Amino acid sequence: MDQHTLETNLAGLPLGRIRFYDNVGSTNDIASDWADEGAPDLSLVLANGQTAGRGRAGRKWFTQPGASLAFSLILRPPISKTPPPHPSTKSPVDYSSIIPRLSGLGALGVSRALRKHYSLPAQIKWPNDVLVKQRKLAGVLAEAHWTGNQLSAAILGIGINIAASSVPLDDVLAFPATSVESALGCSVDRLSLLRSVISEVISCRSLLAAPEFIQAWEADLAFRGEQVQIVSSGGQGEATHLVHEGYIAGLDSDGSLKLRLLSGEEATVRLGEIRLRLVDSSPK
Ligand code: BT5
């Protein structure tokens, strides 16, 4: 892959500018610096390899050069093109309420692309992992940039395991993983998948502030109705602790997870990780 092939394959999409790198630390960091320098809306940073790919809470994301997709999109406000929730008010739109939805936007883009174009039964493990048959093949890292109390940009980082060689060894994984090619049983063109994911992100973005967005995210939610544990979002090497145990009931209007506790009460979870009671028992 190179700058020219990337641009040729993405031609016709309403992107800002495109930057290809052979190897970087993290595409989110490059995108963040570029956003500070004024990169236009929907600019894309893509790297063949990353040496310091990041997950949430300082966790690591592993990218295998040539075998993975690692890219970041820069989104400028208005992040969503839909009208603000209260069009009658003159106050500026509260974009902070959209931030938790950004992880969902990235995950939805990947799960929809995999289902529509590759017929894979992709689902979203709240809030930001994409699974096929209960194995993680993609993760999303959404980060906001503020200037004072104004959102100046959001960086949507997406990592996808394409070839089997992109799947890290079990000892660095908190949850079983797979790749698109392993799930499909055949080879996949990285650039075609990239194009499908970006197209889906762009189309779902137009719904970001609308109730339909939560409905779409909810429709793809993994483990709905199943009994799970919610553990605190421990950072790399940090211990996690059990916060709740209950059944996944769906999503709240802000993208929080709704849980029916074993006591029968409802709880809303804004931060945390889903842990399966038997399968996913090791801390992140
Ligand atoms: C994520 O975090 O899953 C977000 C991953 C986002 C990666 C993209 S790549 C482009 C952009 N640039 C970056 O630097 N990041 C973004 P989280 O839910 O915190 O999951 C992290 C955990 O996933 C790790 O602690 C590992 O257990 C596991 N993991 C790491 N690499 C993996 C891989 N390639 N496949 C499956 N699981 C992985």
Side-chain angles (χ1 to χ4, degrees), residues 25-28 50 52-57 59-63 69-72 128-129 136-141 157-159 161 166-168 172-175 177-178 236 273 284:
S26 155
T27 56
N28 264 36
Q50 294 187 116
R54 294 188 281 114
R56 294 166 308 140
R59 291 190 284 256
K60 291 184 179 147
W61 179 263
F62 299 95
T63 304
L69 270 174
F71 61 97
S72 303
N128 67 323
D129 294 341
K136 176 167 172 173
L137 50 64
V140 176
L141 178 66
I158 300 182
N161 299 334
S166 64
V167 180
V172 297
L173 295 176
F175 195 85
T178 189
Q236 188 81 30
E273 307 289 329
K284 282 210 174 191

Side-chain angles (χ1 to χ4, degrees), residues 8-9 20 39 83 88 91 94 113 125 137 184 198-199 204 214 226 264 273:
T8 308
N9 275 275
F20 169 81
S88 56
S91 60
D94 177 16
K125 175 173 173 267
L137 50 64
L184 265 180
I198 293 177
S199 305
C204 293
I214 296 292
E226 290 181 37
E273 307 289 329

Side-chain angles (χ1 to χ4, degrees), residues 39-122:
D41 186 41
L42 282 173
S43 289
L44 172 73
V45 174
L46 183 139
N48 193 39
Q50 294 187 116
T51 51
R54 294 188 281 114
R56 294 166 308 140
R59 291 190 284 256
K60 291 184 179 147
W61 179 263
F62 299 95
T63 304
Q64 182 66 28
S68 312
L69 270 174
F71 61 97
S72 303
L73 279 168
I74 298 169
L75 308 180
R76 294 284 187 190
I79 300 290
S80 165
K81 306 293 184 199
T82 42
H86 304 292
S88 56
T89 62
K90 293 219 162 51
S91 60
V93 184
D94 177 16
Y95 288 114
S96 61
S97 64
I98 286 175
I99 297 303
R101 295 177 181 224
L102 286 172
S103 295
L105 176 63
L108 203 50
V110 177
S111 72
R112 288 194 156 197
L114 291 177
R115 265 186 297 110
K116 264 197 208 169
H117 301 281
Y118 300 86
S119 302
L120 280 175

Side-chain angles (χ1 to χ4, degrees), residues 3 20 24 43 63-64 77 91 115-116 122 141 144 149 156 179 201-202 207 221 229 242 274:
Q3 178 83 28
F20 169 81
V24 296
S43 289
T63 304
Q64 182 66 28
S91 60
R115 265 186 297 110
K116 264 197 208 169
L141 178 66
N149 59 0
L156 192 57
S179 67
V201 167
I202 292 172
L207 293 174
L221 211 55
Q229 295 180 331
L242 182 66
I274 291 177

